[in-house]
PDB file of all heavy atoms in Angstrom:
ATOM      1  N   ASN A   1     -35.327 -12.675   6.343  1.00 71.00           N
ATOM      2  CA  ASN A   1     -34.991 -12.000   7.598  1.00 71.00           C
ATOM      3  C   ASN A   1     -35.422 -12.789   8.832  1.00 71.00           C
ATOM      4  O   ASN A   1     -35.106 -12.398   9.951  1.00 71.00           O
ATOM      5  CB  ASN A   1     -35.638 -10.612   7.635  1.00 71.00           C
ATOM      6  CG  ASN A   1     -35.014  -9.669   6.631  1.00 71.00           C
ATOM      7  OD1 ASN A   1     -33.919  -9.185   6.823  1.00 71.00           O
ATOM      8  ND2 ASN A   1     -35.713  -9.440   5.527  1.00 71.00           N
ATOM      9  N   GLY A   2     -36.157 -13.891   8.619  1.00 69.00           N
ATOM     10  CA  GLY A   2     -36.618 -14.660   9.756  1.00 69.00           C
ATOM     11  C   GLY A   2     -37.437 -13.808  10.695  1.00 69.00           C
ATOM     12  O   GLY A   2     -38.310 -13.048  10.281  1.00 69.00           O
ATOM     13  N   GLU A   3     -37.133 -13.898  11.964  1.00 70.00           N
ATOM     14  CA  GLU A   3     -37.835 -13.104  12.969  1.00 70.00           C
ATOM     15  C   GLU A   3     -37.133 -11.766  13.224  1.00 70.00           C
ATOM     16  O   GLU A   3     -37.570 -10.986  14.052  1.00 70.00           O
ATOM     17  CB  GLU A   3     -37.920 -13.904  14.266  1.00 70.00           C
ATOM     18  CG  GLU A   3     -38.744 -15.170  14.121  1.00 70.00           C
ATOM     19  CD  GLU A   3     -38.805 -15.992  15.402  1.00 70.00           C
ATOM     20  OE1 GLU A   3     -37.784 -16.075  16.106  1.00 70.00           O
ATOM     21  OE2 GLU A   3     -39.880 -16.542  15.690  1.00 70.00           O
ATOM     22  N   GLN A   4     -36.043 -11.513  12.494  1.00 75.00           N
ATOM     23  CA  GLN A   4     -35.255 -10.309  12.737  1.00 75.00           C
ATOM     24  C   GLN A   4     -35.525  -9.270  11.651  1.00 75.00           C
ATOM     25  O   GLN A   4     -34.614  -8.763  11.008  1.00 75.00           O
ATOM     26  CB  GLN A   4     -33.759 -10.657  12.782  1.00 75.00           C
ATOM     27  CG  GLN A   4     -33.401 -11.945  13.480  1.00 75.00           C
ATOM     28  CD  GLN A   4     -33.845 -11.982  14.926  1.00 75.00           C
ATOM     29  OE1 GLN A   4     -33.872 -10.959  15.584  1.00 75.00           O
ATOM     30  NE2 GLN A   4     -34.201 -13.151  15.413  1.00 75.00           N
ATOM     31  N   ILE A   5     -36.779  -8.927  11.435  1.00 82.00           N
ATOM     32  CA  ILE A   5     -37.113  -8.047  10.318  1.00 82.00           C
ATOM     33  C   ILE A   5     -37.031  -6.568  10.691  1.00 82.00           C
ATOM     34  O   ILE A   5     -36.961  -5.701   9.825  1.00 82.00           O
ATOM     35  CB  ILE A   5     -38.516  -8.388   9.772  1.00 82.00           C
ATOM     36  CG1 ILE A   5     -38.655  -7.876   8.331  1.00 82.00           C
ATOM     37  CG2 ILE A   5     -39.618  -7.838  10.685  1.00 82.00           C
ATOM     38  CD1 ILE A   5     -39.841  -8.441   7.602  1.00 82.00           C
ATOM     39  N   ALA A   6     -37.012  -6.245  11.988  1.00 87.00           N
ATOM     40  CA  ALA A   6     -36.915  -4.843  12.410  1.00 87.00           C
ATOM     41  C   ALA A   6     -35.615  -4.246  11.878  1.00 87.00           C
ATOM     42  O   ALA A   6     -34.533  -4.820  12.029  1.00 87.00           O
ATOM     43  CB  ALA A   6     -36.964  -4.749  13.927  1.00 87.00           C
ATOM     44  N   PHE A   7     -35.730  -3.078  11.245  1.00 92.00           N
ATOM     45  CA  PHE A   7     -34.586  -2.486  10.568  1.00 92.00           C
ATOM     46  C   PHE A   7     -33.757  -1.624  11.514  1.00 92.00           C
ATOM     47  O   PHE A   7     -34.296  -0.876  12.328  1.00 92.00           O
ATOM     48  CB  PHE A   7     -35.054  -1.633   9.392  1.00 92.00           C
ATOM     49  CG  PHE A   7     -33.929  -1.086   8.557  1.00 92.00           C
ATOM     50  CD1 PHE A   7     -33.253  -1.904   7.674  1.00 92.00           C
ATOM     51  CD2 PHE A   7     -33.546   0.243   8.670  1.00 92.00           C
ATOM     52  CE1 PHE A   7     -32.207  -1.402   6.895  1.00 92.00           C
ATOM     53  CE2 PHE A   7     -32.507   0.755   7.902  1.00 92.00           C
ATOM     54  CZ  PHE A   7     -31.837  -0.076   7.015  1.00 92.00           C
ATOM     55  N   ALA A   8     -32.448  -1.743  11.395  1.00 93.00           N
ATOM     56  CA  ALA A   8     -31.512  -0.892  12.128  1.00 93.00           C
ATOM     57  C   ALA A   8     -30.254  -0.768  11.287  1.00 93.00           C
ATOM     58  O   ALA A   8     -29.894  -1.694  10.549  1.00 93.00           O
ATOM     59  CB  ALA A   8     -31.180  -1.479  13.498  1.00 93.00           C
ATOM     60  N   SER A   9     -29.565   0.346  11.402  1.00 96.00           N
ATOM     61  CA  SER A   9     -28.376   0.556  10.579  1.00 96.00           C
ATOM     62  C   SER A   9     -27.273   1.216  11.391  1.00 96.00           C
ATOM     63  O   SER A   9     -27.512   1.831  12.436  1.00 96.00           O
ATOM     64  CB  SER A   9     -28.711   1.418   9.365  1.00 96.00           C
ATOM     65  OG  SER A   9     -29.163   2.700   9.765  1.00 96.00           O
ATOM     66  N   LYS A  10     -26.060   1.084  10.892  1.00 97.00           N
ATOM     67  CA  LYS A  10     -24.914   1.750  11.490  1.00 97.00           C
ATOM     68  C   LYS A  10     -24.847   3.198  11.002  1.00 97.00           C
ATOM     69  O   LYS A  10     -25.380   3.538   9.946  1.00 97.00           O
ATOM     70  CB  LYS A  10     -23.625   1.014  11.120  1.00 97.00           C
ATOM     71  CG  LYS A  10     -23.527  -0.368  11.761  1.00 97.00           C
ATOM     72  CD  LYS A  10     -22.284  -1.114  11.326  1.00 97.00           C
ATOM     73  CE  LYS A  10     -22.227  -2.479  12.023  1.00 97.00           C
ATOM     74  NZ  LYS A  10     -21.127  -3.323  11.524  1.00 97.00           N
ATOM     75  N   SER A  11     -24.181   4.011  11.787  1.00 98.00           N
ATOM     76  CA  SER A  11     -23.937   5.378  11.336  1.00 98.00           C
ATOM     77  C   SER A  11     -23.064   5.337  10.093  1.00 98.00           C
ATOM     78  O   SER A  11     -22.307   4.379   9.865  1.00 98.00           O
ATOM     79  CB  SER A  11     -23.244   6.178  12.433  1.00 98.00           C
ATOM     80  OG  SER A  11     -21.939   5.655  12.670  1.00 98.00           O
ATOM     81  N   ALA A  12     -23.153   6.365   9.285  1.00 98.00           N
ATOM     82  CA  ALA A  12     -22.324   6.427   8.083  1.00 98.00           C
ATOM     83  C   ALA A  12     -20.841   6.387   8.443  1.00 98.00           C
ATOM     84  O   ALA A  12     -20.030   5.781   7.721  1.00 98.00           O
ATOM     85  CB  ALA A  12     -22.649   7.687   7.293  1.00 98.00           C
ATOM     86  N   GLU A  13     -20.477   6.996   9.581  1.00 98.00           N
ATOM     87  CA  GLU A  13     -19.069   7.029   9.987  1.00 98.00           C
ATOM     88  C   GLU A  13     -18.569   5.630  10.316  1.00 98.00           C
ATOM     89  O   GLU A  13     -17.490   5.216   9.868  1.00 98.00           O
ATOM     90  CB  GLU A  13     -18.891   7.951  11.195  1.00 98.00           C
ATOM     91  CG  GLU A  13     -19.106   9.424  10.900  1.00 98.00           C
ATOM     92  CD  GLU A  13     -20.572   9.798  10.708  1.00 98.00           C
ATOM     93  OE1 GLU A  13     -21.459   9.006  11.125  1.00 98.00           O
ATOM     94  OE2 GLU A  13     -20.843  10.867  10.137  1.00 98.00           O
ATOM     95  N   ARG A  14     -19.366   4.868  11.105  1.00 97.00           N
ATOM     96  CA  ARG A  14     -18.939   3.514  11.471  1.00 97.00           C
ATOM     97  C   ARG A  14     -18.927   2.613  10.228  1.00 97.00           C
ATOM     98  O   ARG A  14     -17.994   1.809  10.042  1.00 97.00           O
ATOM     99  CB  ARG A  14     -19.889   2.946  12.528  1.00 97.00           C
ATOM    100  CG  ARG A  14     -19.752   1.442  12.796  1.00 97.00           C
ATOM    101  CD  ARG A  14     -18.410   1.038  13.397  1.00 97.00           C
ATOM    102  NE  ARG A  14     -18.298  -0.408  13.482  1.00 97.00           N
ATOM    103  CZ  ARG A  14     -18.642  -1.128  14.557  1.00 97.00           C
ATOM    104  NH1 ARG A  14     -19.123  -0.536  15.636  1.00 97.00           N
ATOM    105  NH2 ARG A  14     -18.494  -2.439  14.549  1.00 97.00           N
ATOM    106  N   ALA A  15     -19.929   2.742   9.377  1.00 98.00           N
ATOM    107  CA  ALA A  15     -19.963   1.928   8.163  1.00 98.00           C
ATOM    108  C   ALA A  15     -18.743   2.201   7.296  1.00 98.00           C
ATOM    109  O   ALA A  15     -18.095   1.268   6.790  1.00 98.00           O
ATOM    110  CB  ALA A  15     -21.252   2.195   7.389  1.00 98.00           C
ATOM    111  N   PHE A  16     -18.406   3.466   7.119  1.00 98.00           N
ATOM    112  CA  PHE A  16     -17.247   3.814   6.302  1.00 98.00           C
ATOM    113  C   PHE A  16     -15.972   3.202   6.871  1.00 98.00           C
ATOM    114  O   PHE A  16     -15.116   2.688   6.130  1.00 98.00           O
ATOM    115  CB  PHE A  16     -17.092   5.328   6.197  1.00 98.00           C
ATOM    116  CG  PHE A  16     -15.840   5.747   5.479  1.00 98.00           C
ATOM    117  CD1 PHE A  16     -15.763   5.685   4.099  1.00 98.00           C
ATOM    118  CD2 PHE A  16     -14.729   6.181   6.196  1.00 98.00           C
ATOM    119  CE1 PHE A  16     -14.605   6.054   3.431  1.00 98.00           C
ATOM    120  CE2 PHE A  16     -13.564   6.551   5.536  1.00 98.00           C
ATOM    121  CZ  PHE A  16     -13.501   6.478   4.152  1.00 98.00           C
ATOM    122  N   GLU A  17     -15.826   3.241   8.202  1.00 97.00           N
ATOM    123  CA  GLU A  17     -14.634   2.671   8.833  1.00 97.00           C
ATOM    124  C   GLU A  17     -14.489   1.186   8.508  1.00 97.00           C
ATOM    125  O   GLU A  17     -13.369   0.683   8.328  1.00 97.00           O
ATOM    126  CB  GLU A  17     -14.704   2.873  10.349  1.00 97.00           C
ATOM    127  CG  GLU A  17     -14.532   4.327  10.789  1.00 97.00           C
ATOM    128  CD  GLU A  17     -14.848   4.517  12.263  1.00 97.00           C
ATOM    129  OE1 GLU A  17     -15.140   3.503  12.949  1.00 97.00           O
ATOM    130  OE2 GLU A  17     -14.820   5.664  12.732  1.00 97.00           O
ATOM    131  N   GLU A  18     -15.615   0.477   8.416  1.00 97.00           N
ATOM    132  CA  GLU A  18     -15.527  -0.959   8.148  1.00 97.00           C
ATOM    133  C   GLU A  18     -15.128  -1.229   6.696  1.00 97.00           C
ATOM    134  O   GLU A  18     -14.381  -2.175   6.419  1.00 97.00           O
ATOM    135  CB  GLU A  18     -16.846  -1.634   8.516  1.00 97.00           C
ATOM    136  CG  GLU A  18     -17.146  -1.500  10.003  1.00 97.00           C
ATOM    137  CD  GLU A  18     -18.166  -2.491  10.517  1.00 97.00           C
ATOM    138  OE1 GLU A  18     -18.439  -3.488   9.820  1.00 97.00           O
ATOM    139  OE2 GLU A  18     -18.683  -2.272  11.623  1.00 97.00           O
ATOM    140  N   PHE A  19     -15.610  -0.413   5.777  1.00 98.00           N
ATOM    141  CA  PHE A  19     -15.125  -0.538   4.407  1.00 98.00           C
ATOM    142  C   PHE A  19     -13.630  -0.239   4.342  1.00 98.00           C
ATOM    143  O   PHE A  19     -12.863  -0.946   3.657  1.00 98.00           O
ATOM    144  CB  PHE A  19     -15.892   0.421   3.487  1.00 98.00           C
ATOM    145  CG  PHE A  19     -17.288  -0.029   3.150  1.00 98.00           C
ATOM    146  CD1 PHE A  19     -18.385   0.597   3.712  1.00 98.00           C
ATOM    147  CD2 PHE A  19     -17.497  -1.072   2.268  1.00 98.00           C
ATOM    148  CE1 PHE A  19     -19.671   0.197   3.395  1.00 98.00           C
ATOM    149  CE2 PHE A  19     -18.781  -1.486   1.943  1.00 98.00           C
ATOM    150  CZ  PHE A  19     -19.872  -0.850   2.513  1.00 98.00           C
ATOM    151  N   ARG A  20     -13.212   0.782   5.052  1.00 97.00           N
ATOM    152  CA  ARG A  20     -11.794   1.144   5.044  1.00 97.00           C
ATOM    153  C   ARG A  20     -10.946   0.027   5.655  1.00 97.00           C
ATOM    154  O   ARG A  20      -9.843  -0.263   5.174  1.00 97.00           O
ATOM    155  CB  ARG A  20     -11.596   2.447   5.824  1.00 97.00           C
ATOM    156  CG  ARG A  20     -10.169   3.017   5.744  1.00 97.00           C
ATOM    157  CD  ARG A  20     -10.073   4.299   6.531  1.00 97.00           C
ATOM    158  NE  ARG A  20     -10.423   4.059   7.940  1.00 97.00           N
ATOM    159  CZ  ARG A  20     -10.775   5.023   8.804  1.00 97.00           C
ATOM    160  NH1 ARG A  20     -10.825   6.274   8.398  1.00 97.00           N
ATOM    161  NH2 ARG A  20     -11.066   4.727  10.054  1.00 97.00           N
ATOM    162  N   ASP A  21     -11.465  -0.617   6.723  1.00 96.00           N
ATOM    163  CA  ASP A  21     -10.735  -1.734   7.335  1.00 96.00           C
ATOM    164  C   ASP A  21     -10.471  -2.844   6.323  1.00 96.00           C
ATOM    165  O   ASP A  21      -9.381  -3.433   6.294  1.00 96.00           O
ATOM    166  CB  ASP A  21     -11.530  -2.308   8.513  1.00 96.00           C
ATOM    167  CG  ASP A  21     -11.546  -1.382   9.720  1.00 96.00           C
ATOM    168  OD1 ASP A  21     -10.768  -0.415   9.747  1.00 96.00           O
ATOM    169  OD2 ASP A  21     -12.361  -1.641  10.634  1.00 96.00           O
ATOM    170  N   VAL A  22     -11.477  -3.155   5.511  1.00 96.00           N
ATOM    171  CA  VAL A  22     -11.309  -4.213   4.512  1.00 96.00           C
ATOM    172  C   VAL A  22     -10.219  -3.816   3.518  1.00 96.00           C
ATOM    173  O   VAL A  22      -9.336  -4.616   3.185  1.00 96.00           O
ATOM    174  CB  VAL A  22     -12.633  -4.492   3.776  1.00 96.00           C
ATOM    175  CG1 VAL A  22     -12.403  -5.473   2.621  1.00 96.00           C
ATOM    176  CG2 VAL A  22     -13.677  -5.050   4.730  1.00 96.00           C
ATOM    177  N   ALA A  23     -10.268  -2.574   3.045  1.00 96.00           N
ATOM    178  CA  ALA A  23      -9.267  -2.117   2.072  1.00 96.00           C
ATOM    179  C   ALA A  23      -7.866  -2.174   2.671  1.00 96.00           C
ATOM    180  O   ALA A  23      -6.914  -2.607   2.002  1.00 96.00           O
ATOM    181  CB  ALA A  23      -9.601  -0.701   1.610  1.00 96.00           C
ATOM    182  N   GLU A  24      -7.727  -1.761   3.926  1.00 95.00           N
ATOM    183  CA  GLU A  24      -6.407  -1.734   4.550  1.00 95.00           C
ATOM    184  C   GLU A  24      -5.874  -3.132   4.847  1.00 95.00           C
ATOM    185  O   GLU A  24      -4.664  -3.330   4.954  1.00 95.00           O
ATOM    186  CB  GLU A  24      -6.464  -0.903   5.835  1.00 95.00           C
ATOM    187  CG  GLU A  24      -6.673   0.594   5.555  1.00 95.00           C
ATOM    188  CD  GLU A  24      -6.795   1.419   6.827  1.00 95.00           C
ATOM    189  OE1 GLU A  24      -6.912   0.809   7.921  1.00 95.00           O
ATOM    190  OE2 GLU A  24      -6.774   2.662   6.730  1.00 95.00           O
ATOM    191  N   SER A  25      -6.782  -4.109   4.969  1.00 94.00           N
ATOM    192  CA  SER A  25      -6.341  -5.483   5.236  1.00 94.00           C
ATOM    193  C   SER A  25      -6.036  -6.244   3.948  1.00 94.00           C
ATOM    194  O   SER A  25      -5.640  -7.415   4.002  1.00 94.00           O
ATOM    195  CB  SER A  25      -7.407  -6.239   6.029  1.00 94.00           C
ATOM    196  OG  SER A  25      -8.580  -6.422   5.256  1.00 94.00           O
ATOM    197  N   GLY A  26      -6.206  -5.608   2.811  1.00 95.00           N
ATOM    198  CA  GLY A  26      -5.871  -6.243   1.538  1.00 95.00           C
ATOM    199  C   GLY A  26      -7.059  -6.749   0.751  1.00 95.00           C
ATOM    200  O   GLY A  26      -6.904  -7.224  -0.381  1.00 95.00           O
ATOM    201  N   GLY A  27      -8.262  -6.680   1.317  1.00 95.00           N
ATOM    202  CA  GLY A  27      -9.451  -7.102   0.588  1.00 95.00           C
ATOM    203  C   GLY A  27      -9.791  -6.123  -0.521  1.00 95.00           C
ATOM    204  O   GLY A  27      -9.526  -4.923  -0.411  1.00 95.00           O
ATOM    205  N   ARG A  28     -10.380  -6.638  -1.577  1.00 95.00           N
ATOM    206  CA  ARG A  28     -10.741  -5.778  -2.704  1.00 95.00           C
ATOM    207  C   ARG A  28     -12.213  -5.914  -3.102  1.00 95.00           C
ATOM    208  O   ARG A  28     -12.741  -5.053  -3.782  1.00 95.00           O
ATOM    209  CB  ARG A  28      -9.846  -6.084  -3.917  1.00 95.00           C
ATOM    210  CG  ARG A  28      -8.389  -5.663  -3.705  1.00 95.00           C
ATOM    211  CD  ARG A  28      -8.286  -4.158  -3.534  1.00 95.00           C
ATOM    212  NE  ARG A  28      -6.929  -3.694  -3.216  1.00 95.00           N
ATOM    213  CZ  ARG A  28      -6.524  -3.383  -1.998  1.00 95.00           C
ATOM    214  NH1 ARG A  28      -7.350  -3.520  -0.957  1.00 95.00           N
ATOM    215  NH2 ARG A  28      -5.301  -2.947  -1.785  1.00 95.00           N
ATOM    216  N   PHE A  29     -12.853  -7.005  -2.714  1.00 96.00           N
ATOM    217  CA  PHE A  29     -14.253  -7.227  -3.065  1.00 96.00           C
ATOM    218  C   PHE A  29     -15.078  -7.331  -1.793  1.00 96.00           C
ATOM    219  O   PHE A  29     -14.769  -8.133  -0.902  1.00 96.00           O
ATOM    220  CB  PHE A  29     -14.410  -8.496  -3.905  1.00 96.00           C
ATOM    221  CG  PHE A  29     -13.617  -8.469  -5.175  1.00 96.00           C
ATOM    222  CD1 PHE A  29     -12.495  -9.272  -5.339  1.00 96.00           C
ATOM    223  CD2 PHE A  29     -13.976  -7.620  -6.215  1.00 96.00           C
ATOM    224  CE1 PHE A  29     -11.750  -9.243  -6.498  1.00 96.00           C
ATOM    225  CE2 PHE A  29     -13.239  -7.586  -7.383  1.00 96.00           C
ATOM    226  CZ  PHE A  29     -12.125  -8.392  -7.531  1.00 96.00           C
ATOM    227  N   VAL A  30     -16.128  -6.522  -1.708  1.00 97.00           N
ATOM    228  CA  VAL A  30     -16.953  -6.447  -0.497  1.00 97.00           C
ATOM    229  C   VAL A  30     -18.406  -6.714  -0.864  1.00 97.00           C
ATOM    230  O   VAL A  30     -18.929  -6.115  -1.808  1.00 97.00           O
ATOM    231  CB  VAL A  30     -16.855  -5.054   0.164  1.00 97.00           C
ATOM    232  CG1 VAL A  30     -17.837  -4.939   1.324  1.00 97.00           C
ATOM    233  CG2 VAL A  30     -15.434  -4.794   0.649  1.00 97.00           C
ATOM    234  N   TYR A  31     -19.039  -7.616  -0.130  1.00 95.00           N
ATOM    235  CA  TYR A  31     -20.490  -7.720  -0.253  1.00 95.00           C
ATOM    236  C   TYR A  31     -21.114  -7.340   1.090  1.00 95.00           C
ATOM    237  O   TYR A  31     -20.704  -7.815   2.145  1.00 95.00           O
ATOM    238  CB  TYR A  31     -20.947  -9.102  -0.718  1.00 95.00           C
ATOM    239  CG  TYR A  31     -20.750 -10.241   0.262  1.00 95.00           C
ATOM    240  CD1 TYR A  31     -21.737 -10.578   1.190  1.00 95.00           C
ATOM    241  CD2 TYR A  31     -19.599 -11.024   0.227  1.00 95.00           C
ATOM    242  CE1 TYR A  31     -21.571 -11.630   2.063  1.00 95.00           C
ATOM    243  CE2 TYR A  31     -19.425 -12.085   1.094  1.00 95.00           C
ATOM    244  CZ  TYR A  31     -20.414 -12.389   2.009  1.00 95.00           C
ATOM    245  OH  TYR A  31     -20.251 -13.439   2.878  1.00 95.00           O
ATOM    246  N   THR A  32     -22.053  -6.418   1.040  1.00 96.00           N
ATOM    247  CA  THR A  32     -22.752  -6.064   2.260  1.00 96.00           C
ATOM    248  C   THR A  32     -23.840  -7.095   2.513  1.00 96.00           C
ATOM    249  O   THR A  32     -24.503  -7.562   1.583  1.00 96.00           O
ATOM    250  CB  THR A  32     -23.381  -4.665   2.170  1.00 96.00           C
ATOM    251  OG1 THR A  32     -24.336  -4.643   1.117  1.00 96.00           O
ATOM    252  CG2 THR A  32     -22.313  -3.614   1.922  1.00 96.00           C
ATOM    253  N   THR A  33     -24.023  -7.456   3.759  1.00 93.00           N
ATOM    254  CA  THR A  33     -25.029  -8.456   4.114  1.00 93.00           C
ATOM    255  C   THR A  33     -26.397  -7.828   4.349  1.00 93.00           C
ATOM    256  O   THR A  33     -27.349  -8.539   4.660  1.00 93.00           O
ATOM    257  CB  THR A  33     -24.603  -9.212   5.384  1.00 93.00           C
ATOM    258  OG1 THR A  33     -24.549  -8.301   6.482  1.00 93.00           O
ATOM    259  CG2 THR A  33     -23.251  -9.871   5.203  1.00 93.00           C
ATOM    260  N   ASP A  34     -26.494  -6.519   4.182  1.00 93.00           N
ATOM    261  CA  ASP A  34     -27.746  -5.806   4.444  1.00 93.00           C
ATOM    262  C   ASP A  34     -28.860  -6.309   3.526  1.00 93.00           C
ATOM    263  O   ASP A  34     -28.686  -6.333   2.299  1.00 93.00           O
ATOM    264  CB  ASP A  34     -27.581  -4.301   4.193  1.00 93.00           C
ATOM    265  CG  ASP A  34     -26.368  -3.718   4.892  1.00 93.00           C
ATOM    266  OD1 ASP A  34     -25.493  -4.484   5.318  1.00 93.00           O
ATOM    267  OD2 ASP A  34     -26.293  -2.486   4.989  1.00 93.00           O
ATOM    268  N   PRO A  35     -30.022  -6.651   4.069  1.00 92.00           N
ATOM    269  CA  PRO A  35     -31.142  -7.007   3.196  1.00 92.00           C
ATOM    270  C   PRO A  35     -31.616  -5.846   2.336  1.00 92.00           C
ATOM    271  O   PRO A  35     -32.222  -6.063   1.284  1.00 92.00           O
ATOM    272  CB  PRO A  35     -32.237  -7.435   4.185  1.00 92.00           C
ATOM    273  CG  PRO A  35     -31.490  -7.870   5.410  1.00 92.00           C
ATOM    274  CD  PRO A  35     -30.319  -6.943   5.485  1.00 92.00           C
TER     275      PRO A  35
END
């Protein structure tokens, strides 16, 4: 995490939208970058 260890997260609604965006764009495999 380097110097960026303070934790913060997206709302469940915004996170879900990003997964949906990937599916709608044709992607099928997703890796989250979250530590």
Side-chain angles (χ1 to χ4, degrees):
N1 291 285
E3 296 179 321
Q4 320 301 328
I5 201 166
F7 185 76
S9 62
K10 292 177 179 173
S11 66
E13 291 74 18
R14 168 65 186 267
F16 174 77
E17 290 170 3
E18 297 199 16
F19 284 107
R20 187 180 59 198
D21 288 348
V22 173
E24 291 177 350
S25 66
R28 291 296 175 260
F29 301 109
V30 173
Y31 68 90
T32 61
T33 64
D34 310 16

